[in-house]
Amino acid sequence: MERLKRKIDMFLEEWKKNDDRLPLIVKGARQIGKTEAIRHFANKTYKSVVEINFVIQKRFKTIFNDGFEVDTILRNISFYDPDLVFPEGETLIFFDEIQDCINCATSLKAFKEDMRYDVICSGSLMGINYREIESNSVGYKEDYEMFSLDFEEFLWAKGYRAEQIEELYRKLLATTPLTEIEFNVMMECFREYMVLGGMPAVVFAFINQKNYSGTLNTQRQLLLDYEEDITKYAEGIDQARILDIYRKIPAFLGKTNKKFQISKVRKGARNREYIGTVEWLVNAGIVNICYCMNYPELPLKGNYDPGNYKLYYCDTGLLVGALDDETQYDLRTNQNLNTYKGALYENVVGEILVKQGYSLFFYRNESGTLEMDFFVRDAESLIPVEVKANNSSVHSLNTLVNSSEYPDIKYGIKLAARNIGFNGKFYTIPYFLAFLLKRYLREKGLR
C-alpha cells in the first residue's frame, strides 16, 4: 500500500481546474496528513514544485523582508537555493508550516494578482490567532479545513470501492434495511475505526500489518506530541492550564453529565484563571466543543449557553489511547467498558459530525429529566440525534418528537448498533452510516 487516499485529493484536483483559483490555505490539527496530501498532488500535477517549510528551513522566513512583490520573493528564494526554477504556469509554490511565518499570508494578495504561479500554504495554526492570517490575506485566499481520516476514508483504506459505499447510501435514503452481511461487516469495520481513530500513522500501520500491533504505542506518542506542541505554541496563555484541560477531558466524559467544569479541573481552579484555554484547544483542532442549547428550538447558533459545554477529543482513537492499556481490547470485544461505552460512542459521533461541517450542540434541562446528545437540522426543522451505546429506552427522543412544546422538531434520529428503520417518529441509523448524515438530510428533503 503506497498511501492513504484522502478526500482532499479530489478537492485539490477541482481547485486546479478553476482558472480563477485563489491561493489555498490547508489548515487543521497536526499530523493529520496535510503535507503528504499536498506533496502528492503537487508532484503528479506540476513540472516544478518549490516546497518551503518555515519550521525546518527557518532562513526562508526572511524572503518577505524586501517586500511582497512576486519577483522579489522569488529572487530571495533563489538566493537561498539557486537550483530552484520557476517556469510560469507550471510551478506550485508550497509554503508549509505557515503558522511560523505570518508574513507569508500577506504575500498571497501579490501571488493572486500576479497569476503566474500557484500557491498552497499549510499549517496547524497552533499558537497563532487565525484572524491575523485572515486580516493579512482577506479576499485573496481560499481555506480548506482538513481532519484525520473520516470513516469513509477508512473504508477506502481497507479497499472498499465507491460503488459499494454508494449502495449503502441508497439503502439509507430509501429506508431499506441492510443485509445481514452488510450490517455485520460494516459494524466490525466501525469498531476497528473507533479503536484506531483516523490519524494517518495509526491507520497506515493497521492496514499494512493487518493487525493492531503497535497502534496503541503510536496513539500514545501522538498524544505526547500534542502535549509537546501545546508547550511549544501556546504563547501568552499558561501552558500548564491548557494541559490541565487537555488531560482531564477523559475523566469528564466518564461522568453521567459529561459537562466540562473548570472549577473541577483542579482544586481551587477559577474560570478567570483559564480564560482562553479551551478556545486555544478548539482553535488548534485538538478538541471538539459541544454547547448546551438554552432551549430545543432554532436557530442553533443563536440559542446556546457559551459557558455550558462538553469537550470531546478530535479523534476517538486518541481518546482510546488516553485510557487504560486494555481499552483497545475492551472496545474490540465489547466488554468491561461499562458507563464509558457511552462516552466513546458520543465522542466518535461528535467527531463524525464535525468532519461533515457541523457545529456541535446538545440539550439538558436543569432537572436532568430531558437530555439529548446532539442536534442537527434540515431545511425546515430541528433534528435531535440520540446516540445509543446499548438497548436502553429513548425517553428524551420520544418526548422531543411527540410534545407540542417543541414545534421546530418534526422527527428525530437514533444512532445505534441497529439496522436502518423508521417507526413514524424517528429514523434508526447504524453508527457506521452517520458519516452520510449531511448528504442524507439534504437529499431526503428533495424526494
Side-chain angles (χ1 to χ4, degrees), residues 11-12 15-16 18-27 38 41 46 70 91-95 98 104-122 130 133-134 136-144:
F11 173 84
L12 291 172
W15 173 80
K16 182 68 169 70
N18 183 0
D19 291 335
D20 194 33
R21 55 189 170 275
L22 295 167
L24 180 66
I25 296 181
V26 179
K27 59 179 181 175
I38 296 167
F41 162 75
Y46 293 87
V70 170
T91 299
L92 175 72
I93 302 173
F94 174 23
F95 293 121
I98 189 179
C104 182
T106 306
S107 73
L108 299 184
K109 178 180 179 180
F111 277 107
K112 168 56 183 163
E113 292 176 341
D114 184 89
M115 293 293 288
R116 288 178 292 164
Y117 309 100
D118 289 346
V119 177
I120 298 180
C121 304
S122 175
Y130 187 68
I133 284 182
E134 185 74 31
N136 286 6
S137 53
V138 62
Y140 296 96
K141 63 162 180 61
E142 180 177 0
D143 289 327
Y144 181 90

Side-chain angles (χ1 to χ4, degrees), residues 9-49:
D9 299 343
M10 293 166 278
F11 173 84
L12 291 172
E13 289 173 4
E14 291 301 311
W15 173 80
K16 182 68 169 70
K17 292 176 184 177
N18 183 0
D19 291 335
D20 194 33
R21 55 189 170 275
L22 295 167
L24 180 66
I25 296 181
V26 179
K27 59 179 181 175
R30 294 178 68 78
Q31 304 193 58
I32 58 171
K34 299 185 297 294
T35 298
E36 189 278 334
I38 296 167
R39 190 178 290 153
H40 172 77
F41 162 75
N43 290 332
K44 76 172 187 176
T45 308
Y46 293 87
K47 181 177 180 180
S48 176
V49 178

Side-chain angles (χ1 to χ4, degrees), residues 171 176-184 419:
K171 290 190 173 183
T176 301
L178 304 174
T179 68
E180 184 178 355
I181 291 176
E182 288 171 335
F183 182 89
N184 290 338
N419 215 325

Side-chain angles (χ1 to χ4, degrees), residues 140-234:
Y140 296 96
K141 63 162 180 61
E142 180 177 0
D143 289 327
Y144 181 90
E145 187 167 7
M146 191 174 173
F147 303 94
S148 63
L149 279 80
D150 68 13
F151 184 57
E152 186 171 19
E153 290 171 313
F154 181 74
L155 291 177
W156 294 344
K158 286 179 66 69
Y160 287 95
R161 302 183 306 278
E163 54 266 29
Q164 291 174 294
I165 297 171
E166 188 64 20
E167 176 61 22
L168 298 177
Y169 175 71
R170 283 196 293 267
K171 290 190 173 183
L172 174 62
L173 191 60
T175 321
T176 301
L178 304 174
T179 68
E180 184 178 355
I181 291 176
E182 288 171 335
F183 182 89
N184 290 338
V185 171
M186 284 295 106
M187 196 65 217
E188 180 59 28
C189 288
F190 190 72
R191 289 195 189 97
E192 291 175 349
Y193 179 70
M194 285 189 68
V195 169
L196 297 164
M199 298 302 281
V202 180
V203 175
F204 192 82
F206 174 77
I207 298 298
N208 278 336
Q209 297 169 178
K210 296 181 171 54
N211 61 55
Y212 292 91
S213 176
T215 56
L216 179 59
N217 288 337
T218 303
Q219 288 169 333
R220 292 194 165 162
Q221 185 57 54
L222 287 167
L223 287 166
L224 291 174
D225 290 346
Y226 271 20
E227 291 197 6
E228 183 179 327
D229 288 335
I230 289 170
T231 59
K232 177 181 178 181
Y233 287 107

